[in-house]
Amino acid sequence: MATNQPNLECRMYEAKYPEVDMAVMIQVKNIADMGAYVSLLEYNNIEGMILFSELSRRRIRSVSSLIKVGRQEPVMVLRVDKEKGYIDLSKRRVSEEDIQGCEERYNKSKLVHSIMRHVAETMLLDLEDLYIHVGWPLYRKYGHAFEAFKLIVTDPDSVLNALTREVKEVGPDGQEVTKVVPAMSEEVKDALIKNIRRRMTPQPLKIRADVEIKCFQLDGVLHIKEAMRKAEAAGNNDCPVKIKLVAPPLYVLTTHTLDKEQGISVLNDAIKACTEEIDRHKGKLVVKEAPRAVSEKDDKLLADQLKLNSAAEDADNDEGSEEEEDTGMGEIDLDNAAIGITE
């Protein structure tokens, strides 16, 4: 399978051309007098054409508003001339359901292709040969290689050990014989598993909600603390809930989870439990930002904000210590003062 200069260009699927009435992902290359020339991204960028009459069901007033060079989008296959290599496409005939299905399939195929291409490049393999013996057999068996790759993350041998190839050898008697051998070497197999695990192992999402909690009653600080405990108790082993003070009266609730919807649901339950508890003591909880998945950038901004508030609090505490020495006012409960009751 190895060559000095491996071929790294290959279509994603076994079929060289798409089927008629199939939605495919394209990228617009240029716009001509009759229509737009596009590349079929899943089929090694073979060329297709969208006639202007197939851009929209409505009267076209501005072509540029309907199609732009460089844009990627799903379109419908109208005709395929395999001999001449002509592929006619339509934008106006693709439905919302077709678009959703095409985008989902393309995103999976693009990830599989990226992994396959990286393995071929690093192991000096012909990409099409790797697809012939590994990728396309997995497409046939699992419906999509993406589904097989998900299984490989936890149990690679059950998927990959079943893949074989036939090789011809000359026997002792001079006759050519066919032998069945593993589809790839152990080195290639290890490289494929490593890349799949690196790219496809699920990463926990951080879900966060921002709330304001106030309570002006006697022992209001204690009531807020109890409400926070109720919020944290709403979590579970899969989605533990943590609540932190940013600056009175602003708090953030967070959880980490592999399931975004579950994480959002758990935080909503936590907010509900916290609200019910603080309402009992005539306090108030206001949701400033509803539960949502946050990025590393959001995390860093929150961490920076917490550091600034901590530094400011330390400065206030230092000033308080000096005043205590001068006036003899006694000790202050700094923990409670940090959570505080907001005027």
Side-chain angles (χ1 to χ4, degrees), residues 128-197:
E128 185 169 357
D129 196 53
L130 189 62
Y131 261 112
I132 289 171
H133 296 101
V134 178
W136 294 334
L138 294 179
Y139 269 98
R140 290 196 296 268
K141 184 174 181 179
Y142 294 91
H144 198 295
F146 180 85
E147 304 303 323
F149 280 17
K150 286 199 299 185
L151 297 175
I152 289 171
V153 171
T154 54
D155 188 10
D157 289 343
S158 67
V159 178
L160 298 178
N161 286 355
L163 299 176
T164 60
R165 61 162 62 204
E166 293 183 351
V167 295
K168 296 186 181 298
E169 294 182 356
V170 177
D173 58 358
Q175 297 295 315
E176 189 175 68
V177 295
T178 300
K179 291 180 63 176
V180 177
V181 300
M184 58 193 138
S185 68
E186 285 300 316
E187 292 79 12
V188 174
K189 179 182 173 183
D190 290 344
L192 182 61
I193 293 170
K194 180 180 178 181
N195 275 273
I196 289 172
R197 284 177 172 166

Side-chain angles (χ1 to χ4, degrees), residues 77-260:
V77 178
L78 297 182
R79 285 174 292 276
V80 177
D81 187 331
K82 296 180 181 179
E83 292 183 1
K84 296 181 179 179
Y86 294 158
I87 301 175
D88 294 332
L89 306 161
S90 172
K91 181 178 176 179
R92 71 184 183 93
R93 303 192 196 200
V94 65
S95 67
E96 286 298 323
E97 185 179 354
D98 293 328
I99 290 172
Q100 183 177 351
C102 180
E103 288 177 342
E104 183 178 344
R105 184 195 69 232
Y106 174 67
N107 287 332
K108 291 179 178 179
S109 303
K110 184 169 64 171
L111 178 57
V112 168
H113 193 73
S114 175
I115 293 170
M116 294 282 284
R117 194 177 191 280
H118 187 265
V119 171
E121 184 175 16
T122 54
M123 301 301 292
L124 299 178
L125 307 174
D126 183 285
L127 179 57
E128 185 169 357
D129 196 53
L130 189 62
Y131 261 112
I132 289 171
H133 296 101
V134 178
W136 294 334
L138 294 179
Y139 269 98
R140 290 196 296 268
K141 184 174 181 179
Y142 294 91
H144 198 295
F146 180 85
E147 304 303 323
F149 280 17
K150 286 199 299 185
L151 297 175
I152 289 171
V153 171
T154 54
D155 188 10
D157 289 343
S158 67
V159 178
L160 298 178
N161 286 355
L163 299 176
T164 60
R165 61 162 62 204
E166 293 183 351
V167 295
K168 296 186 181 298
E169 294 182 356
V170 177
D173 58 358
Q175 297 295 315
E176 189 175 68
V177 295
T178 300
K179 291 180 63 176
V180 177
V181 300
M184 58 193 138
S185 68
E186 285 300 316
E187 292 79 12
V188 174
K189 179 182 173 183
D190 290 344
L192 182 61
I193 293 170
K194 180 180 178 181
N195 275 273
I196 289 172
R197 284 177 172 166
R198 180 172 60 85
R199 298 287 299 277
M200 296 189 65
T201 299
Q203 298 297 318
L205 290 170
K206 184 171 186 177
I207 310 297
R208 170 180 154 188
D210 298 24
V211 300
E212 283 187 355
I213 308 175
K214 300 178 182 180
C215 185
F216 302 123
Q217 302 301 308
L218 183 66
D219 292 331
V221 169
L222 299 179
H223 298 323
I224 290 175
K225 282 187 172 182
E226 182 58 29
M228 291 167 63
R229 280 192 280 268
K230 294 286 186 181
E232 292 187 340
N236 54 52
N237 291 335
D238 294 330
C239 296
V241 174
K242 297 295 181 184
I243 182 166
K244 287 183 179 181
L245 170 70
V246 178
L250 183 62
Y251 298 79
V252 294
L253 292 86
T254 59
T255 186
H256 289 82
T257 176
L258 295 174
D259 186 335
K260 179 181 176 182

